[in-house]
mmCIF file of all heavy atoms in Angstrom:
data_model
loop_
_atom_site.group_PDB
_atom_site.id
_atom_site.type_symbol
_atom_site.label_atom_id
_atom_site.label_comp_id
_atom_site.label_asym_id
_atom_site.label_seq_id
_atom_site.Cartn_x
_atom_site.Cartn_y
_atom_site.Cartn_z
ATOM 1 N N THR R 206 -62.789 -71.638 106.293
ATOM 2 C CA THR R 206 -62.284 -70.309 106.015
ATOM 3 C C THR R 206 -60.729 -70.340 106.238
ATOM 4 O O THR R 206 -60.272 -71.083 107.069
ATOM 5 C CB THR R 206 -62.931 -69.232 106.938
ATOM 6 O OG1 THR R 206 -62.432 -69.422 108.289
ATOM 7 C CG2 THR R 206 -64.424 -69.254 106.957
ATOM 8 N N GLY R 207 -60.087 -69.452 105.474
ATOM 9 C CA GLY R 207 -58.603 -69.400 105.583
ATOM 10 C C GLY R 207 -57.988 -70.713 105.226
ATOM 11 O O GLY R 207 -57.005 -71.209 105.826
ATOM 12 N N ALA R 208 -58.557 -71.395 104.180
ATOM 13 C CA ALA R 208 -58.107 -72.806 103.824
ATOM 14 C C ALA R 208 -57.077 -72.922 102.747
ATOM 15 O O ALA R 208 -56.737 -73.991 102.367
ATOM 16 C CB ALA R 208 -59.338 -73.584 103.438
ATOM 17 N N ALA R 209 -56.524 -71.803 102.242
ATOM 18 C CA ALA R 209 -55.545 -71.889 101.192
ATOM 19 C C ALA R 209 -54.189 -72.413 101.633
ATOM 20 O O ALA R 209 -53.443 -72.977 100.863
ATOM 21 C CB ALA R 209 -55.359 -70.482 100.608
ATOM 22 N N ARG R 210 -53.953 -72.395 102.996
ATOM 23 C CA ARG R 210 -52.623 -72.875 103.439
ATOM 24 C C ARG R 210 -52.746 -73.185 104.984
ATOM 25 O O ARG R 210 -53.827 -73.063 105.544
ATOM 26 C CB ARG R 210 -51.598 -71.807 103.252
ATOM 27 C CG ARG R 210 -51.793 -70.599 104.107
ATOM 28 C CD ARG R 210 -50.588 -69.623 104.059
ATOM 29 N NE ARG R 210 -50.525 -68.794 105.196
ATOM 30 C CZ ARG R 210 -50.137 -67.523 105.242
ATOM 31 N NH1 ARG R 210 -49.818 -66.972 104.086
ATOM 32 N NH2 ARG R 210 -50.076 -66.859 106.354
ATOM 33 N N GLY R 211 -51.678 -73.695 105.466
ATOM 34 C CA GLY R 211 -51.551 -73.894 106.920
ATOM 35 C C GLY R 211 -52.572 -74.872 107.486
ATOM 36 O O GLY R 211 -52.937 -75.863 106.838
ATOM 37 N N ILE R 212 -53.064 -74.579 108.628
ATOM 38 C CA ILE R 212 -54.038 -75.419 109.329
ATOM 39 C C ILE R 212 -55.261 -75.611 108.538
ATOM 40 O O ILE R 212 -55.810 -76.710 108.347
ATOM 41 C CB ILE R 212 -54.289 -74.889 110.747
ATOM 42 C CG1 ILE R 212 -53.086 -74.975 111.618
ATOM 43 C CG2 ILE R 212 -55.512 -75.709 111.379
ATOM 44 C CD1 ILE R 212 -53.204 -74.291 112.929
ATOM 45 N N GLY R 213 -55.819 -74.516 107.957
ATOM 46 C CA GLY R 213 -57.047 -74.583 107.182
ATOM 47 C C GLY R 213 -56.917 -75.542 105.977
ATOM 48 O O GLY R 213 -57.851 -76.245 105.705
ATOM 49 N N LEU R 230 -62.341 -71.452 101.303
ATOM 50 C CA LEU R 230 -62.522 -69.991 101.306
ATOM 51 C C LEU R 230 -61.208 -69.342 101.731
ATOM 52 O O LEU R 230 -60.583 -69.714 102.672
ATOM 53 C CB LEU R 230 -63.643 -69.622 102.242
ATOM 54 C CG LEU R 230 -64.000 -68.150 102.308
ATOM 55 C CD1 LEU R 230 -65.520 -67.924 102.672
ATOM 56 C CD2 LEU R 230 -63.151 -67.350 103.271
ATOM 57 N N ASP R 231 -60.824 -68.284 100.980
ATOM 58 C CA ASP R 231 -59.656 -67.493 101.385
ATOM 59 C C ASP R 231 -59.753 -66.116 100.736
ATOM 60 O O ASP R 231 -60.605 -65.891 99.849
ATOM 61 C CB ASP R 231 -58.367 -68.192 101.129
ATOM 62 C CG ASP R 231 -57.309 -67.876 102.205
ATOM 63 O OD1 ASP R 231 -56.961 -66.698 102.441
ATOM 64 O OD2 ASP R 231 -56.833 -68.800 102.886
ATOM 65 N N VAL R 232 -58.839 -65.216 101.134
ATOM 66 C CA VAL R 232 -58.866 -63.816 100.580
ATOM 67 C C VAL R 232 -58.475 -63.857 99.134
ATOM 68 O O VAL R 232 -57.773 -64.844 98.660
ATOM 69 C CB VAL R 232 -57.840 -62.926 101.409
ATOM 70 C CG1 VAL R 232 -58.395 -62.661 102.753
ATOM 71 C CG2 VAL R 232 -56.465 -63.591 101.461
ATOM 72 N N ALA R 235 -54.942 -64.937 98.032
ATOM 73 C CA ALA R 235 -54.635 -66.354 98.084
ATOM 74 C C ALA R 235 -55.445 -67.231 97.126
ATOM 75 O O ALA R 235 -55.479 -68.425 97.185
ATOM 76 C CB ALA R 235 -54.880 -66.862 99.500
ATOM 77 N N LEU R 253 -62.988 -64.659 99.066
ATOM 78 C CA LEU R 253 -63.853 -63.701 99.872
ATOM 79 C C LEU R 253 -63.042 -63.326 101.049
ATOM 80 O O LEU R 253 -62.423 -64.173 101.763
ATOM 81 C CB LEU R 253 -65.115 -64.438 100.249
ATOM 82 C CG LEU R 253 -66.131 -63.728 101.124
ATOM 83 C CD1 LEU R 253 -66.742 -62.556 100.430
ATOM 84 C CD2 LEU R 253 -67.224 -64.757 101.577
ATOM 85 N N ASP R 254 -63.070 -62.001 101.361
ATOM 86 C CA ASP R 254 -62.508 -61.523 102.633
ATOM 87 C C ASP R 254 -63.615 -61.699 103.674
ATOM 88 O O ASP R 254 -64.653 -61.120 103.583
ATOM 89 C CB ASP R 254 -62.074 -60.063 102.535
ATOM 90 C CG ASP R 254 -61.387 -59.575 103.840
ATOM 91 O OD1 ASP R 254 -61.729 -60.092 104.896
ATOM 92 O OD2 ASP R 254 -60.541 -58.676 103.659
ATOM 93 N N ILE R 255 -63.274 -62.532 104.670
ATOM 94 C CA ILE R 255 -64.331 -62.932 105.655
ATOM 95 C C ILE R 255 -64.826 -61.775 106.468
ATOM 96 O O ILE R 255 -65.839 -61.794 107.127
ATOM 97 C CB ILE R 255 -63.810 -64.115 106.476
ATOM 98 C CG1 ILE R 255 -65.014 -64.907 107.157
ATOM 99 C CG2 ILE R 255 -62.826 -63.683 107.593
ATOM 100 C CD1 ILE R 255 -65.855 -65.620 106.165
ATOM 101 N N THR R 256 -64.055 -60.650 106.445
ATOM 102 C CA THR R 256 -64.442 -59.463 107.245
ATOM 103 C C THR R 256 -65.453 -58.602 106.469
ATOM 104 O O THR R 256 -65.976 -57.638 106.995
ATOM 105 C CB THR R 256 -63.248 -58.615 107.601
ATOM 106 O OG1 THR R 256 -62.680 -58.146 106.455
ATOM 107 C CG2 THR R 256 -62.289 -59.359 108.450
ATOM 108 N N ASN R 278 -61.671 -70.997 110.513
ATOM 109 C CA ASN R 278 -60.232 -71.165 110.735
ATOM 110 C C ASN R 278 -59.402 -69.912 110.483
ATOM 111 O O ASN R 278 -58.357 -69.684 111.014
ATOM 112 C CB ASN R 278 -59.718 -72.328 109.856
ATOM 113 C CG ASN R 278 -58.203 -72.317 109.807
ATOM 114 O OD1 ASN R 278 -57.510 -72.760 110.678
ATOM 115 N ND2 ASN R 278 -57.676 -71.739 108.689
ATOM 116 N N ALA R 279 -59.900 -69.021 109.549
ATOM 117 C CA ALA R 279 -59.106 -67.863 109.184
ATOM 118 C C ALA R 279 -58.744 -67.096 110.433
ATOM 119 O O ALA R 279 -59.564 -66.863 111.347
ATOM 120 C CB ALA R 279 -59.910 -66.965 108.266
ATOM 121 N N GLY R 280 -57.432 -66.678 110.507
ATOM 122 C CA GLY R 280 -57.005 -66.001 111.680
ATOM 123 C C GLY R 280 -55.743 -65.209 111.292
ATOM 124 O O GLY R 280 -54.979 -65.599 110.457
ATOM 125 N N VAL R 281 -55.513 -64.111 112.098
ATOM 126 C CA VAL R 281 -54.279 -63.361 111.788
ATOM 127 C C VAL R 281 -53.747 -62.939 113.202
ATOM 128 O O VAL R 281 -54.452 -62.880 114.192
ATOM 129 C CB VAL R 281 -54.574 -62.056 111.022
ATOM 130 C CG1 VAL R 281 -54.961 -62.346 109.578
ATOM 131 C CG2 VAL R 281 -55.647 -61.150 111.679
ATOM 132 N N VAL R 301 -60.957 -59.993 112.084
ATOM 133 C CA VAL R 301 -60.870 -61.274 111.414
ATOM 134 C C VAL R 301 -61.145 -62.457 112.350
ATOM 135 O O VAL R 301 -61.910 -63.339 112.040
ATOM 136 C CB VAL R 301 -59.404 -61.486 110.877
ATOM 137 C CG1 VAL R 301 -59.190 -62.871 110.255
ATOM 138 C CG2 VAL R 301 -59.034 -60.396 109.861
ATOM 139 N N ASN R 302 -60.582 -62.403 113.569
ATOM 140 C CA ASN R 302 -60.627 -63.610 114.449
ATOM 141 C C ASN R 302 -61.907 -63.708 115.154
ATOM 142 O O ASN R 302 -62.218 -64.823 115.624
ATOM 143 C CB ASN R 302 -59.474 -63.517 115.445
ATOM 144 C CG ASN R 302 -58.091 -63.546 114.852
ATOM 145 O OD1 ASN R 302 -57.970 -63.561 113.586
ATOM 146 N ND2 ASN R 302 -57.044 -63.563 115.658
ATOM 147 N N THR R 328 -62.050 -71.613 115.761
ATOM 148 C CA THR R 328 -60.603 -71.762 116.136
ATOM 149 C C THR R 328 -60.254 -70.831 117.238
ATOM 150 O O THR R 328 -60.211 -69.576 117.019
ATOM 151 C CB THR R 328 -59.744 -71.638 114.932
ATOM 152 O OG1 THR R 328 -60.248 -72.533 113.919
ATOM 153 C CG2 THR R 328 -58.310 -71.995 115.269
ATOM 154 N N ALA R 329 -60.022 -71.338 118.393
ATOM 155 C CA ALA R 329 -59.481 -70.566 119.492
ATOM 156 C C ALA R 329 -57.931 -70.632 119.504
ATOM 157 O O ALA R 329 -57.342 -70.915 118.436
ATOM 158 C CB ALA R 329 -60.023 -70.984 120.850
ATOM 159 N N SER R 330 -57.285 -70.576 120.636
ATOM 160 C CA SER R 330 -55.877 -70.745 120.706
ATOM 161 C C SER R 330 -55.489 -70.792 122.169
ATOM 162 O O SER R 330 -56.234 -70.268 123.051
ATOM 163 C CB SER R 330 -55.186 -69.509 120.087
ATOM 164 O OG SER R 330 -53.836 -69.430 120.548
ATOM 165 N N ILE R 331 -54.355 -71.459 122.527
ATOM 166 C CA ILE R 331 -53.988 -71.376 123.925
ATOM 167 C C ILE R 331 -53.674 -70.017 124.308
ATOM 168 O O ILE R 331 -53.726 -69.708 125.525
ATOM 169 C CB ILE R 331 -52.826 -72.405 124.275
ATOM 170 C CG1 ILE R 331 -51.594 -72.176 123.346
ATOM 171 C CG2 ILE R 331 -53.285 -73.812 124.256
ATOM 172 C CD1 ILE R 331 -50.411 -72.920 123.891
ATOM 173 N N TYR R 343 -54.784 -60.541 120.075
ATOM 174 C CA TYR R 343 -55.025 -61.956 119.640
ATOM 175 C C TYR R 343 -55.635 -62.735 120.769
ATOM 176 O O TYR R 343 -56.625 -63.485 120.525
ATOM 177 C CB TYR R 343 -53.680 -62.509 119.171
ATOM 178 C CG TYR R 343 -53.713 -63.881 118.616
ATOM 179 C CD1 TYR R 343 -54.178 -64.137 117.310
ATOM 180 C CD2 TYR R 343 -53.333 -65.014 119.359
ATOM 181 C CE1 TYR R 343 -54.187 -65.406 116.761
ATOM 182 C CE2 TYR R 343 -53.358 -66.284 118.858
ATOM 183 C CZ TYR R 343 -53.766 -66.478 117.505
ATOM 184 O OH TYR R 343 -53.794 -67.738 117.039
ATOM 185 N N LYS R 347 -59.279 -64.603 120.699
ATOM 186 C CA LYS R 347 -59.394 -66.063 120.813
ATOM 187 C C LYS R 347 -60.181 -66.412 122.071
ATOM 188 O O LYS R 347 -60.900 -67.486 122.078
ATOM 189 C CB LYS R 347 -58.045 -66.787 120.783
ATOM 190 C CG LYS R 347 -57.265 -66.534 119.481
ATOM 191 C CD LYS R 347 -58.068 -67.189 118.276
ATOM 192 C CE LYS R 347 -57.297 -67.227 116.987
ATOM 193 N NZ LYS R 347 -58.056 -67.808 115.904
ATOM 194 N N PRO R 374 -55.658 -74.634 119.281
ATOM 195 C CA PRO R 374 -54.300 -75.132 118.950
ATOM 196 C C PRO R 374 -53.245 -74.590 119.928
ATOM 197 O O PRO R 374 -53.391 -73.444 120.320
ATOM 198 C CB PRO R 374 -54.043 -74.696 117.528
ATOM 199 C CG PRO R 374 -55.364 -74.327 116.936
ATOM 200 C CD PRO R 374 -56.184 -73.861 118.093
ATOM 201 N N GLY R 375 -52.242 -75.438 120.184
ATOM 202 C CA GLY R 375 -51.117 -74.922 120.894
ATOM 203 C C GLY R 375 -50.033 -74.498 119.873
ATOM 204 O O GLY R 375 -50.334 -73.796 118.912
ATOM 205 N N PHE R 376 -48.814 -74.960 120.038
ATOM 206 C CA PHE R 376 -47.730 -74.710 119.121
ATOM 207 C C PHE R 376 -47.862 -75.665 117.892
ATOM 208 O O PHE R 376 -47.631 -76.867 118.090
ATOM 209 C CB PHE R 376 -46.391 -74.834 119.758
ATOM 210 C CG PHE R 376 -45.264 -74.432 118.888
ATOM 211 C CD1 PHE R 376 -44.718 -73.093 118.877
ATOM 212 C CD2 PHE R 376 -44.730 -75.300 117.897
ATOM 213 C CE1 PHE R 376 -43.714 -72.716 118.092
ATOM 214 C CE2 PHE R 376 -43.718 -74.875 117.069
ATOM 215 C CZ PHE R 376 -43.216 -73.633 117.137
ATOM 216 N N ILE R 377 -48.282 -75.157 116.783
ATOM 217 C CA ILE R 377 -48.464 -75.979 115.525
ATOM 218 C C ILE R 377 -47.409 -75.554 114.568
ATOM 219 O O ILE R 377 -47.239 -74.307 114.334
ATOM 220 C CB ILE R 377 -49.896 -75.827 115.004
ATOM 221 C CG1 ILE R 377 -50.912 -76.136 116.098
ATOM 222 C CG2 ILE R 377 -50.029 -76.732 113.804
ATOM 223 C CD1 ILE R 377 -51.006 -77.610 116.601
ATOM 224 N N GLU R 378 -46.732 -76.473 113.887
ATOM 225 C CA GLU R 378 -45.703 -76.132 112.898
ATOM 226 C C GLU R 378 -46.340 -75.572 111.643
ATOM 227 O O GLU R 378 -46.840 -76.350 110.817
ATOM 228 C CB GLU R 378 -44.860 -77.425 112.588
ATOM 229 C CG GLU R 378 -44.291 -78.080 113.803
ATOM 230 C CD GLU R 378 -42.922 -77.457 114.269
ATOM 231 O OE1 GLU R 378 -42.533 -76.493 113.697
ATOM 232 O OE2 GLU R 378 -42.428 -77.942 115.267
ATOM 233 N N THR R 379 -46.362 -74.293 111.495
ATOM 234 C CA THR R 379 -46.868 -73.606 110.338
ATOM 235 C C THR R 379 -45.970 -72.470 109.922
ATOM 236 O O THR R 379 -45.013 -72.164 110.714
ATOM 237 C CB THR R 379 -48.325 -73.088 110.551
ATOM 238 O OG1 THR R 379 -48.284 -72.075 111.553
ATOM 239 C CG2 THR R 379 -49.291 -74.159 110.905
ATOM 240 N N ARG R 380 -46.383 -71.734 108.917
ATOM 241 C CA ARG R 380 -45.591 -70.571 108.559
ATOM 242 C C ARG R 380 -45.679 -69.514 109.649
ATOM 243 O O ARG R 380 -44.708 -68.770 109.894
ATOM 244 C CB ARG R 380 -46.211 -69.935 107.225
ATOM 245 C CG ARG R 380 -45.321 -70.448 106.109
ATOM 246 C CD ARG R 380 -45.709 -70.218 104.759
ATOM 247 N NE ARG R 380 -46.390 -68.988 104.303
ATOM 248 C CZ ARG R 380 -46.903 -68.861 103.084
ATOM 249 N NH1 ARG R 380 -46.840 -69.913 102.254
ATOM 250 N NH2 ARG R 380 -47.469 -67.781 102.716
ATOM 251 N N MET R 381 -46.864 -69.498 110.392
ATOM 252 C CA MET R 381 -47.028 -68.585 111.489
ATOM 253 C C MET R 381 -45.966 -68.860 112.540
ATOM 254 O O MET R 381 -45.301 -67.911 112.966
ATOM 255 C CB MET R 381 -48.427 -68.777 112.046
ATOM 256 C CG MET R 381 -48.948 -67.648 112.896
ATOM 257 S SD MET R 381 -50.471 -68.222 113.730
ATOM 258 C CE MET R 381 -51.698 -67.099 113.161
ATOM 259 N N THR R 382 -45.715 -70.070 112.916
ATOM 260 C CA THR R 382 -44.809 -70.319 113.989
ATOM 261 C C THR R 382 -43.369 -70.446 113.477
ATOM 262 O O THR R 382 -42.428 -70.298 114.271
ATOM 263 C CB THR R 382 -45.190 -71.637 114.734
ATOM 264 O OG1 THR R 382 -45.465 -72.608 113.769
ATOM 265 C CG2 THR R 382 -46.390 -71.441 115.619
HETATM 266 P P1 LIG Z 501 -51.887 -69.062 108.436
HETATM 267 O O1 LIG Z 501 -51.494 -67.611 108.585
HETATM 268 O O2 LIG Z 501 -50.906 -70.019 107.882
HETATM 269 O O3 LIG Z 501 -53.305 -69.218 107.629
HETATM 270 C C1 LIG Z 501 -54.320 -68.404 107.761
HETATM 271 C C2 LIG Z 501 -55.196 -68.310 106.575
HETATM 272 O O4 LIG Z 501 -56.342 -67.465 106.857
HETATM 273 C C3 LIG Z 501 -54.398 -67.738 105.374
HETATM 274 O O5 LIG Z 501 -54.661 -68.512 104.251
HETATM 275 C C4 LIG Z 501 -55.038 -66.376 105.242
HETATM 276 O O6 LIG Z 501 -55.044 -65.857 103.874
HETATM 277 C C5 LIG Z 501 -56.433 -66.612 105.723
HETATM 278 N N1 LIG Z 501 -57.132 -65.332 106.095
HETATM 279 C C6 LIG Z 501 -56.616 -64.368 106.870
HETATM 280 N N2 LIG Z 501 -57.508 -63.354 106.903
HETATM 281 C C7 LIG Z 501 -58.558 -63.694 106.199
HETATM 282 C C8 LIG Z 501 -59.784 -63.057 105.871
HETATM 283 N N3 LIG Z 501 -60.001 -61.827 106.321
HETATM 284 N N4 LIG Z 501 -60.666 -63.728 105.086
HETATM 285 C C9 LIG Z 501 -60.407 -64.966 104.620
HETATM 286 N N5 LIG Z 501 -59.251 -65.651 104.917
HETATM 287 C C10 LIG Z 501 -58.358 -65.011 105.632
HETATM 288 O O7 LIG Z 501 -52.357 -69.450 109.941
HETATM 289 P P2 LIG Z 501 -52.359 -70.936 110.618
HETATM 290 O O8 LIG Z 501 -51.185 -71.062 111.471
HETATM 291 O O9 LIG Z 501 -52.757 -71.960 109.656
HETATM 292 O O10 LIG Z 501 -53.611 -70.655 111.677
HETATM 293 C C11 LIG Z 501 -54.926 -71.027 111.303
HETATM 294 C C12 LIG Z 501 -55.777 -70.668 112.601
HETATM 295 O O11 LIG Z 501 -55.314 -71.409 113.726
HETATM 296 C C13 LIG Z 501 -55.821 -69.231 112.892
HETATM 297 O O12 LIG Z 501 -57.124 -68.908 113.384
HETATM 298 C C14 LIG Z 501 -54.815 -69.123 114.029
HETATM 299 O O13 LIG Z 501 -55.084 -68.071 114.823
HETATM 300 C C15 LIG Z 501 -55.072 -70.468 114.755
HETATM 301 N N6 LIG Z 501 -53.898 -70.850 115.564
HETATM 302 C C16 LIG Z 501 -52.728 -71.248 115.003
HETATM 303 C C17 LIG Z 501 -51.706 -71.633 115.782
HETATM 304 C C18 LIG Z 501 -50.321 -72.103 115.249
HETATM 305 O O14 LIG Z 501 -49.478 -72.564 116.015
HETATM 306 N N7 LIG Z 501 -50.064 -71.997 113.942
HETATM 307 C C19 LIG Z 501 -51.868 -71.736 117.194
HETATM 308 C C20 LIG Z 501 -53.050 -71.413 117.752
HETATM 309 C C21 LIG Z 501 -54.105 -70.971 116.903
#
Side-chain angles (χ1 to χ4, degrees):
T206 70
R210 68 173 203 215
I212 293 171
L230 183 150
D231 215 301
V232 288
L253 177 65
D254 185 329
I255 201 68
T256 61
N278 164 81
V281 292
V301 177
N302 296 3
T328 306
S330 163
I331 54 168
Y343 185 77
K347 296 300 188 178
F376 185 96
I377 306 293
E378 305 279 358
T379 62
R380 263 173 35 190
M381 197 189 243
T382 47

